[in-house]
Amino acid sequence: MSSLVSSQKTSDSGIQIHLHPLVLLTVSDYITRHTLRKQQGPATPIVGALLGQHNGRDITLEHAFECQVIKGEQGAFLLNQAWFQTRLQQYRDVHKEPPLDLVGWFTTTPPTGPEAQHLPIHQQIVHDYNETAVLLAFHPASVLAGAEKSGKLPLTVYESVYEGGQEASADQSMEVDGQETPLKLKFRELPCSIDTAEAEMISVDFVARGGGNATNVDAAAKIKGKGQASQAPVADKASKEASSQQEAKALNDSSLLSSEDEELIASLTARANAIKMLHTRIQLLKSYLTSLPPSYLTESPTANGSTNDVDAPSALEEINHPVLRSIQALVNRLPLLIPSDGSAFEQESLSEKNDVTLVRLLGDLTQGTKNMKEMGRKFGIVNDARQRQRRGVRNMGQGLEETDELVGEPMMSAGQPYE
């Protein structure tokens, strides 16, 4: 356990942290890029800011962004003050409803807890921005050791507290009366829970399914490689390795999507998931309404002309009136989605439809003109070939006639009977 971690219980504070998946995605993306660029070591620390809301004893961590750090006068890393203020104000301007502000920062630490190198940045944030800023510590060593198999996220959330020094030596055990014990900044672990909104559930589901591109490419390459290995005849090892590398390269070149395609796929997937969720909710409301018992006001009369008053109280007891009122309020809000000026909306829709149809018609005309031009070019080539063939046959016929005239006269004179 680190010497900067407080020995007090986590339940003494009473603060509850609500962590959103978007923060986890941002932190993991930052650490992944940092690792792939081989920016390891104390010279390139991983530091980022956390945005959220502070409501009493509840703190929400909803957004995060990476920060630029510089070395201070004593060699410790600090936030670039001018850059950080500008970027923080930009995020405040974007996230105004609900209003988000700086609630803490994140970095990487050992599983034992924060170290002395993390104190300057935390003190800077606490002194200049937020006195109750929290620290989200990610533990890469736990990931490498396989601790994520236990189901616990490799991270810890800390709050800062000031406690009296307890590591006094034997020479300092006797204190002068009236002398105050110096307070030291320490970190105390806070309970953390994952809070997911409906929009975040869609993005997390998309990421869990493979991100749409990289995982599918790797899987396709593996499947294709296995199939070819099982069907290929026994050949030279070097030739098989060369052919497999060429096929893998061709597969990667043909399977990778451009950034525009990935963005389009992500947008369409999000819309499809939203429509599926809406359809599921509507079916749920429909099944609930169909399962309700018939009301005693609308129940068909019996043979003697009176309603079944015996079953009416039991039927009313099964009806959840608050839910029915909520459904009625939802139905009453549906007309708000319909424009007030229906004729103008229909006219505008018809105009847009005509524009789309006109553009499609122009495209068809352009394609038809291109096809006619191509057909004319091919017809010209074929016609020229036919003309050349006809001229060749005609010239050949004239040449044969002249040859017959030249050869025929001596033969006739030779064929005349002798006198």
Side-chain angles (χ1 to χ4, degrees), residues 34 41 76 165 170 188 204 207 213 234 240 244-245 259 261 272 276 283 330 381:
H34 193 274
R188 179 170 54 189
V204 171
V207 174
N213 188 23
V234 178
K240 289 196 298 182
S244 62
Q245 291 178 359
S259 59
D261 295 337
K276 289 180 181 178
Q283 292 298 326
L330 178 62
I381 294 174

Side-chain angles (χ1 to χ4, degrees), residues 20 195-205 273-274 277-278 281:
H20 286 251
D195 191 3
T196 307
E198 294 183 357
E200 290 177 323
M201 292 175 61
I202 298 174
S203 60
V204 171
D205 180 71
N273 292 334
M277 184 177 297
L278 177 62
R281 298 295 177 84

Side-chain angles (χ1 to χ4, degrees), residues 132-148:
T132 59
V134 298
L135 169 61
L136 175 63
F138 185 83
H139 312 306
S142 300
V143 179
L144 298 177
E148 71 278 3

Side-chain angles (χ1 to χ4, degrees), residues 6-25:
S6 175
S7 59
Q8 298 181 7
K9 297 181 180 180
T10 58
S11 59
D12 294 344
S13 174
I15 297 179
Q16 180 67 31
I17 302 297
H18 300 277
L19 181 61
H20 286 251
L22 185 58
V23 176
L24 299 178
L25 295 177

Side-chain angles (χ1 to χ4, degrees), residues 96-109:
K96 287 186 176 181
E97 188 62 35
L100 302 183
D101 205 347
L102 181 69
V103 294
W105 65 293
F106 68 86
T107 186
T108 56
T109 65

